Amino acid sequence: MIAQGVRIGGDGQAANRRIHSLANLLREQDRQDSAQRRLRLALGDETRRAEQDEPVSAARWQELSAQLDSFASLTAAAQPDDVPPEITGTLAQARLAAMNFVGAGHGLIDTAQHDRARIQDRMPAFVAALKDLEAARTRTRELLNRTIGQAVDDNVVFADESVSKFILGAVLACLLLLLVALWLHIRVIAPIVAIAGRLRNFDPATIACADVPCLDRQDELGDLARGLFEYQKAVEDRQAAQRRIDYLAYHDVLTGLPNRLQFERRLQAELAGGQSEDWQAAVFAIDLDEFKEINDLHGHPGGDVALKHVGALLQQCAGADDLVARVGGDEFAIIQAPAPQPQGARALLAHLASAMAEGERAAIPFKVSIGVAVAAPGQTPDDVYKAADVALYRAKSDGRNRARFYDAGLQEEVRLGRVLARDLEHAAANGELFVAYQPIATVAKQIVGYEALLRWHHPTLGMISPTQFIPVAEASGAINQIGLWMADQALAAAARWSPELTLSLNLSPIQFREAGLGIDLLKLAERHGMPGSRLNFEVTESATLLGKNRNMVLDVLRHLQGAGAAIAMDDFGTGHSSLSDLRDFGFDMLKIDRTFVASMLEDRSSALIVQAIIGLGHSLGKAIVAEGVETEAQLSRLREWNCDRIQGYLIGRPMPDTVTVPARVASC
Ligand code: C2E
Ligand code: CA
Ligand code: CA
């Protein structure tokens, strides 16, 4: 288009130059015309004066002659190069006519100077030359005017055409530019903008790799897109790895629950804002009971199943804002988000209790113990967790499968428990343990034997009740060793008694985990020369409830019975034994718990229970022993109800050794 413009501009200039040149020629003709007119008039005037014989100076004739010559040179002047060919001929004719005119003029001057009489003769030739010249000049002028007019018209038409062409060219050029711009936009700019946008918004967490545009293009933009795709993928891979690392740092892989670290952070955050009076967070420390046994019985995969099941149940119970974590091997914990307490914790505990009942019925059954601590103002996360742990410890030592709330007294209790556990390890070796014997008699008060009861004289704490230290020994496992030590002592003492007296030994449920318990006891008895027929073994109902240990318990009891020993169910009526348990375990004796005996004279239902136990025991062929008989009134009522034997302060308190120590020695 620019070339077109330049060409049009050039053509226009050439046309203008031509018109200009023609106009110059026309002006030249005008100049020659006026020169010719002046000459014609001057020559006419002077020749007329010469004809009339008026004097005309020679100088005047010379002047005219010179004017003719300059006219000749004016007409002969070289014409410009750009004169159109059609004019060149006409101009040449005009020049020729001018030469003739000049010649005729010179002739006339010459005649007028030298032969005035012949002026008349000369005049026609001069006039004819003049007419020729004027005709030639008229033709030249007309031609020039026509040519100029034509040139101007041509120029206008040319200008019109040029403008049209120019506009058309411009439109085409614009169209072309538009197409190029469109192509550039679609093929280059839009993809670059899209890729740049992807880069700008690049967020590995939300953008999928496939979102990068132009991946399939085989040009530089395709390379760029593939580069971005690779980069995005690499970042995503790294992010995924980082997420996995973060997940592992804060989660337990087996259960998928938050781990101890996350638990600690959450507890820290929960307590950071301080606790209000009405709304407090609570921590539940939860521990699987007998997890070792679950592993022993079902293998580690079975243990894992139980752990996952516990985790799932806990999560079902916890609220949306609570956090359930696995904080150790078989330890779980819940952070209960702030709620009105203790109602909030009690409500969650109720949920947990019913969920855990499901655990007891599972293919791999389990039970849990729970310690609960409500965060008090000013407590650190560590304080609260330790408090929950203390409550858990207490729940465990209370016999497991139960929950305890933390309170200030518990702290002291647990601290003491820990001291006892530590000191108990060396108590026997230090001579702090000894055995007391409590008589068991017929309803006619005839002593038939003694129950051995353990005593601990702590060097600083004084006498410690077995109700306090036996659970501690059970929790630490020391009961196995202590139990055998105790049996050894008692058997040694009983061996010195009158041979018709029996010895009753208490066996803790924990001792039944040792499969060789029966063998060990009988070996000891044999060593002391005590026949099996003089031995009674007392087990509590909880020993019969050891689900998976049931067969082991039965084996030990059968073994002992096989040697002539009798088995007594201790504290009967307080536990959960079923009648089928009574049958399966083959007890020889039932010991009615002393709480029933203590209240049976005043409380009708206690009386009915005691009577029922006696009736039931007799119908099953068992001997019945009533514990805790303190009064003659109790004894006479028991006698009425056909109770077989009694034990209690009425007959005698537990004493160090009934044979070697006189009966008057203070009871212990
Ligand atoms: P237990 O087997 O039921 O023992 C009887 C408990 O009742 C003894 O308490 C005894 O002192 C107490 N008692 C006896 N007659 C009366 C009475 O008329 N009135 C009252 N109020 N109490 C009476 P102790 O010696 O404190 O023993 C408590 C428990 O500790 C025992 O209950 C037994 O379960 C356990 N225990 C004691 N020695 C041993 C032991 O060597 N091994 C095991 N595994 N447990 C033992
Ligand atoms: Ca007992
Ligand atoms: Ca008892």
Side-chain angles (χ1 to χ4, degrees):
M1 196 196 71
I2 293 168
Q4 170 80 355
V6 168
R7 195 174 63 74
I8 290 169
D11 288 354
Q13 273 183 358
N16 283 340
R17 264 201 311 278
R18 188 159 171 262
I19 291 167
H20 182 72
S21 164
L22 289 169
N24 278 345
L25 279 177
L26 198 59
R27 270 192 297 279
E28 186 56 37
Q29 291 303 311
D30 286 347
R31 255 199 318 277
Q32 289 179 22
D33 255 9
S34 53
Q36 172 199 322
R37 207 175 307 118
R38 278 194 307 275
L39 268 174
R40 178 171 59 85
L41 290 174
L43 276 173
D45 284 352
E46 297 308 331
T47 49
R48 212 172 302 118
R49 281 171 62 193
E51 265 184 327
Q52 292 168 4
D53 288 332
E54 288 177 23
V56 179
S57 67
R60 176 64 182 150
W61 290 119
Q62 265 176 354
E63 186 189 337
L64 287 175
S65 182
Q67 282 179 2
L68 272 174
D69 287 344
S70 63
F71 177 71
S73 38
L74 186 68
T75 54
Q79 66 179 44
D81 294 340
D82 53 355
V83 174
E86 67 271 23
I87 293 172
T88 313
T90 312
L91 280 177
Q93 284 174 9
R95 255 194 315 277
L96 192 60
M99 286 307 127
N100 287 339
F101 170 73
V102 169
H106 277 302
L108 191 61
I109 290 170
D110 193 45
T111 307
Q113 263 185 302
H114 303 105
D115 190 3
R116 290 180 183 178
R118 291 194 58 213
I119 289 175
Q120 279 299 326
D121 298 340
R122 274 287 195 187
M123 193 54 79
F126 176 72
V127 171
L130 180 62
K131 281 187 179 168
D132 268 3
L133 179 56
E134 283 180 344
R137 204 167 301 289
T138 303
R139 277 198 309 278
T140 303
R141 188 182 301 280
E142 283 172 0
L143 187 60
L144 278 173
N145 280 334
R146 215 171 38 243
T147 309
I148 287 172
Q150 186 68 45
V152 169
D153 286 350
D154 286 354
N155 207 10
V156 169
V157 171
F158 169 75
D160 287 350
E161 281 177 0
S162 297
V163 168
S164 304
K165 278 182 191 168
F166 183 79
I167 289 171
L168 188 67
V171 169
L172 283 173
C174 286
L175 212 63
L176 193 67
L177 272 175
L178 206 70
L179 284 173
V180 169
L182 200 67
W183 180 87
L184 267 176
H185 180 79
I186 292 170
R187 292 291 297 167
V188 181
I189 296 170
I192 287 178
V193 168
I195 292 172
R198 181 64 63 243
L199 257 176
R200 214 173 19 253
N201 299 329
F202 178 58
D203 176 1
T206 56
I207 294 178
C209 291
D211 281 344
V212 178
C214 307
L215 278 176
D216 49 353
R217 276 178 63 157
Q218 296 305 318
D219 54 10
E220 289 76 6
L221 271 175
D223 286 346
L224 181 64
R226 282 185 289 279
L228 173 61
F229 180 79
E230 291 301 327
Y231 168 72
Q232 197 170 282
K233 205 166 139 8
V235 173
E236 280 193 357
D237 288 351
R238 238 185 84 192
Q239 292 271 341
Q242 189 59 46
R243 277 197 296 275
R244 180 83 188 133
I245 290 168
D246 291 348
Y247 180 84
L248 290 177
Y250 289 103
H251 288 84
D252 164 53
V253 179
L254 178 69
T255 58
L257 291 174
N259 62 10
R260 178 179 278 272
L261 188 61
Q262 196 178 156
F263 168 80
E264 286 171 352
R265 295 206 168 170
R266 170 70 187 274
L267 189 56
Q268 182 103 36
E270 207 63 76
L271 301 189
Q275 297 298 301
S276 84
E277 282 292 312
D278 311 326
W279 287 65
Q280 296 109 357
V283 170
F284 289 62
I286 300 152
D287 198 293
L288 246 86
D289 294 337
E290 324 285 2
F291 184 57
K292 188 177 172 302
E293 276 64 41
I294 296 177
N295 271 333
D296 290 348
L297 205 66
H298 301 283
H300 284 282
D304 287 353
V305 169
L307 289 170
K308 282 194 217 169
H309 196 174
V310 175
L313 288 176
L314 294 180
Q315 225 162 10
Q316 272 173 30
C317 300
D321 295 338
D322 302 345
L323 178 114
V324 178
R326 182 181 172 208
V327 293
D330 60 343
E331 298 164 44
F332 294 82
I334 299 176
I335 299 171
Q336 185 179 37
Q341 299 292 8
Q343 307 91 297
R346 289 218 178 98
L348 178 51
L349 206 52
H351 281 131
L352 291 173
S354 52
M356 290 308 144
E358 191 183 312
E360 290 181 36
R361 296 190 299 270
I364 296 178
F366 57 82
K367 295 176 186 170
V368 298
S369 298
I370 303 174
V372 188
V374 173
Q379 275 191 316
T380 65
D382 204 36
D383 293 339
V384 185
Y385 185 54
K386 272 192 183 141
D389 205 34
V390 161
L392 171 66
Y393 180 87
R394 183 53 203 260
K396 287 251 176 215
S397 53
D398 280 354
R400 299 185 167 84
N401 191 28
R402 61 196 69 205
R404 279 294 297 252
F405 266 83
Y406 174 83
D407 60 51
L410 196 57
Q411 175 74 45
E412 179 50 29
E413 228 177 88
V414 168
R415 193 195 63 76
L416 187 66
R418 291 201 167 125
V419 169
L420 295 184
R422 185 196 63 201
D423 295 350
L424 195 55
E425 280 183 31
H426 312 288
N430 292 348
E432 294 160 20
L433 296 181
F434 63 96
V435 186
Y437 301 90
Q438 185 178 32
I440 301 171
T442 63
V443 286
K445 291 191 181 178
Q446 188 194 349
I447 294 175
V448 293
Y450 291 86
E451 178 180 0
L453 295 163
L454 196 54
R455 296 289 177 263
W456 181 14
H457 189 266
H458 190 278
T460 54
L461 299 170
M463 287 302 290
I464 314 242
S465 162
T467 50
Q468 217 177 339
F469 71 81
I470 294 289
V472 172
E474 286 176 339
S476 70
I479 191 69
N480 291 312
Q481 197 196 341
I482 291 173
L484 287 179
W485 175 88
M486 155 85 177
D488 188 40
Q489 297 285 308
L491 285 164
R496 296 191 293 269
W497 301 341
S498 169
E500 75 280 358
L501 294 175
T502 59
L503 171 68
S504 293
L505 288 171
N506 291 287
L507 294 179
S508 156
I510 306 296
Q511 288 177 272
F512 285 90
R513 291 184 192 162
E514 301 289 328
L517 175 67
I519 298 166
D520 291 345
L521 289 171
L522 290 178
K523 265 192 201 155
L524 277 179
E526 198 182 341
R527 195 187 319 148
H528 291 290
M530 279 288 287
S533 56
R534 286 186 62 197
L535 298 177
N536 295 333
F537 291 98
E538 301 186 4
V539 293
T540 52
E541 288 177 76
S542 59
T544 67
L545 294 171
L546 290 173
K548 57 191 176 297
N549 284 342
R550 195 181 170 93
N551 289 335
M552 249 161 122
V553 175
L554 279 173
D555 285 350
V556 172
L557 296 183
R558 290 298 86 86
H559 192 75
L560 294 172
Q561 282 176 322
I567 306 297
M569 182 176 269
D570 208 353
D571 305 337
F572 190 73
T574 55
H576 310 277
S577 284
S578 64
L579 291 176
S580 60
D581 278 333
L582 267 186
R583 184 195 58 207
D584 295 348
F585 282 86
F587 295 102
D588 303 293
M589 218 180 284
L590 298 182
K591 293 186 81 172
I592 304 173
D593 191 74
R594 66 175 182 272
T595 52
F596 298 114
V597 176
S599 57
M600 69 182 194
L601 294 183
E602 299 82 34
D603 181 40
R604 195 172 141 67
S605 54
S606 292
L608 286 173
I609 289 171
V610 173
Q611 280 179 283
I613 294 173
I614 294 169
L616 175 75
H618 282 166
S619 66
L620 289 171
K622 323 280 181 201
I624 310 297
V625 183
E627 289 186 313
V629 181
E630 294 182 354
T631 64
E632 288 292 346
Q634 288 168 337
L635 172 60
S636 63
R637 188 63 57 84
L638 287 166
R639 206 181 278 135
E640 264 175 46
W641 291 339
N642 278 331
C643 184
D644 302 303
R645 286 170 196 171
I646 57 162
Q647 183 180 2
Y649 295 166
L650 180 69
I651 304 300
R653 290 181 178 250
M655 289 181 293
D657 187 333
T658 51
V659 175
T660 54
V661 178
R664 295 305 318 150
V665 168
S667 65
C668 46

